[in-house]
């Protein structure tokens, strides 16, 4: 049985290695050499894994650029000192150690030289046949790398080889460098005493890498940990979050647009609008926020990209907003003392989605990102649809606009990091999705609040304060410092329907700056964009009745906007309401090529070839490279008996895209 378990472990461990080697073999030489030589000793396992999963050279170039950026000690300057020093060490390792029968950077001495740089001193021992030739390298420690203030590294050269091997005190022992050693291979003290007869300083170094430490078996084991820490120190403090963002956002993050990944703290909650639709409210607080100055003016340009993807991986909706911001000198001073929190809203429809929000700082080439899975409830779902924490709230006057973290007439002020001062009185808030026919009076909300270490525990009761959106909130008052979990239980009568929890922190710090909030508000004149977004999403889910409802709202608010007309025509076509398609088309003053295509398709399917050709030719004049229009117009001419026009149109279609085999066969049939 033990043999089977061991074999299973080998198979499981070996499989990823095989896949990694296969992916490495498929890399172009340039990128394989970068991974295997340039970044060999300083890349993390996660970074390496991500790099091997990238598909294009453009993605790999971007990754490499980001790789060095994340290690730049002075990111605001033109030079990257880390990168320059690394390549200098790489070149020196190649020059100094290439006589060992392999490239210098592949040797053990080359590895240590690349990681730690030139040693402060080197002691060399030839052995004179008593022990193998050895070198002891001395270094000053680096506290940031968790290394001792002073330490040394030992290399030894076995007889008959050119290679100097790295010596591991707790594994090898002094006897490892004694030729033909016949004693106990595990007795380090015996090996130590033999070497000490000839070179006491070397014997001490073989037992402990820390100068002055008493040579014991314990010191040998501790020294092996130093070797392990040296190898880890090359990448241990690197934030590899950027690598996952590159992998998850391929095709979104462009090298030209953003070159520095900035970690962030974020929040996304689902809110119901009093008009009945849902929006996802988000906040993102990047750990670094850059602005530029010109004279007494301060400026930055932010690009906020949002994408909603369903569980099949299909993009339901995406949008890019540009925010150009100017700051006063007093605001800049506040920015220096506090974090920045950017807030916005995304219209969403029923379903489970992966939401991606990409924040690009166009002036500083920085980007930050949120990725979160959300669930938007349906009409029959009796659930807690949102749950968050706020440092305060206030009632606001009614108005036709959508503001982040406003629920009905209550405005909440959440912190992205969910960290509150002990002087603040945090508020828990959320919404219940209450199906029609159920009374809000029968809803009970029990909230259990508990501090992680048991310093505080309490229960609260809450009720729905705004039945139109299912809003509830609960004031906790001042709390002692600690890490808290608030669990909300939803009851309908005595029946438990749902439960959710959220974590937050009360910090003992007296001063914690309030974030500088940059909020994107959707005004009444922009509601057509919200309705258009909802219409597109309902259309993409296949719910054409709901899509029609919102396209009509868009149409009423912006009759001259092409997206509303195109969307409404598209929806009517899918619903089989062909007469409505033609009515909307006829009412449009500025007909686009796509409107012509949809109307032409309806006329073609109804057999009205004369009108279909007339409408499609109108679309062709507007867009002479649209293959949908060209091919359908050719089919209409062919069906009407005009083979000459059909032949010319099929030829044009193939000149634009030669890979259309069906069109090619139709053209050959006309010859």
């Amino acid at each position: 049985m033990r043999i089977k378990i061991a074999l299973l472990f080998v198979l499981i461990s070996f499989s990823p290695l095989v896949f990694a080697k296969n992916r490495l073999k498929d890399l172009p030489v340039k990128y394989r050499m970068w991974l295997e030589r340039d970044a060999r000793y300083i890349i993390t396992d996660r970074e390496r894994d991500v790099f091997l999963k990238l598909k294009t050279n453009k993605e790999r170039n971007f990754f490499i650029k980001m790789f060095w950026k994340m290690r730049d000690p002075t990111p605001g300057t033109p030079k990257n000192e880390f990168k320059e020093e690394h390549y200098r060490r790489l070149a020196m390792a190649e020059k100094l150690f290439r006589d060992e029968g392999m490239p210098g950077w592949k040797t053990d001495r080359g590895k240590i030289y690349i990681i730690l740089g030139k040693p402060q001193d080197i002691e060399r021992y030839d052995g004179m046949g008593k022990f193998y030739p050895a070198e002891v390298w001395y270094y000053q420690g680096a506290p940031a790398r968790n290394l001792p203030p002073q330490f040394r590294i030992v290399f030894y050269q076995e007889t008959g080889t050119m290679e100097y091997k790295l010596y591991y005190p707790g594994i090898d022992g002094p006897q490892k460098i004694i030729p033909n050693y016949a004693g106990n291979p595990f007795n380090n003290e015996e090996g130590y005493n033999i070497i000490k007869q000839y070179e006491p300083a070397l014997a001490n170094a073989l037992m402990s890498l820390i100068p002055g430490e008493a040579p014991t078996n314990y010191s040998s084991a501790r020294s092996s940990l130093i070797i392990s820490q040296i190898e880890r120190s090359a990448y241990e403090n690197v934030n590899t979050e950027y690598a996952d963002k590159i992998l998850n956002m391929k095709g979104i993050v462009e090298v030209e647009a953003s070159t520095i990944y900035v970690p962030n703290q974020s929040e996304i909650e689902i809110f119901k609008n009093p008009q009945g639709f849902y929006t996802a409210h988000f906040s993102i607080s990047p750990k670094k926020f850059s602005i530029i100055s010109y004279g007494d003016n301060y400026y930055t340009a932010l690009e906020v990209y949002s994408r909603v993807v369903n569980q099949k991986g299909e993009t339901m909706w995406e949008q890019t907003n540009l925010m150009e911001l100017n700051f006063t000198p007093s605001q800049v001073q506040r920015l220096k003392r506090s974090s920045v929190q950017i807030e916005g809203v995304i219209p969403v429809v029923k379903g489970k989605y992966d939401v991606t929000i990409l924040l690009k700082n166009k002036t500083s080439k920085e980007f930050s990102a949120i990725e979160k899975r959300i669930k938007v409830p349906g009409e029959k779902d009796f659930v807690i649809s949102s749950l968050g924490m706020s440092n305060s709230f206030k009632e606001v006057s009614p108005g036709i606009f959508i503001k982040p973290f406003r629920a009905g007439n209550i405005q909440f002020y959440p912190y992205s990091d969910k960290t509150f001062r002990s002087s603040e009185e945090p508020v828990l808030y959320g919404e219940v999705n209450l199906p029609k026919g159920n009374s809000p009076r029968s809803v009970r909300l029990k909230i259990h609040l508990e501090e992680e270490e048991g310093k505080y525990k309490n229960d609260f009761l809450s009720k729905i304060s705004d039945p139109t959106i299912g809003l509830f909130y609960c004031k906790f008052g001042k709390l002692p410092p600690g890490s808290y979990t608030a669990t909300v239980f939803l009851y309908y009568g005595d029946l438990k329907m749902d439960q959710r929890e959220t974590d937050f922190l009360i910090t003992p710090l007296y001063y914690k700056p309030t974030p500088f909030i940059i909020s994107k508000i959707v005004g009444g004149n922009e509601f057509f964009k919200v309705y258009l977004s909802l219409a597109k999403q309902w259309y993409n889910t296949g719910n054409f009745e709901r899509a029609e409802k919102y396209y009509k709202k868009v149409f009423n608010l912006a009759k001259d906007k092409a997206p509303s007309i195109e969307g409404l025509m598209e929806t009517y076509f899918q619903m089989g309401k062909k007469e409505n398609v033609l009515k909307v088309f006829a009412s449009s003053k500025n007909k686009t090529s796509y409107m012509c295509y949809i109307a032409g398709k309806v006329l073609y399917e109804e057999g009205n070839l004369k009108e279909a050709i007339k409408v499609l030719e109108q679309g062709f004049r507007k867009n002479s490279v649209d293959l949908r229009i060209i091919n359908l117009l050719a089919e209409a001419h062919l069906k009407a008996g005009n083979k000459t026009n059909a032949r010319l149109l099929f030829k044009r279609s193939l000149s634009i895209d030669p890979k259309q085999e069906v069109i090619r066969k139709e053209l050959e049939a006309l010859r």
Side-chain angles (χ1 to χ4, degrees), residues 7-8 46 112 278 310 523 641:
L7 179 60
L8 178 62
R46 182 57 188 153
I112 296 299
Y278 283 93
N310 66 15

Side-chain angles (χ1 to χ4, degrees), residues 574-605:
Q574 293 293 339
M575 297 173 74
K577 297 182 178 181
K578 296 181 179 180
E579 187 176 327
N580 288 10
V581 173
L582 298 177
K583 282 182 180 179
V584 173
F585 178 71
S587 68
S588 175
K589 294 179 181 178
N590 300 311
K591 296 176 173 60
T592 65
S593 61
Y594 188 58
M595 293 179 204
C596 294
Y597 168 71
I598 300 172
K601 192 172 182 180
V602 169
L603 292 165
Y604 175 82
E605 290 182 357

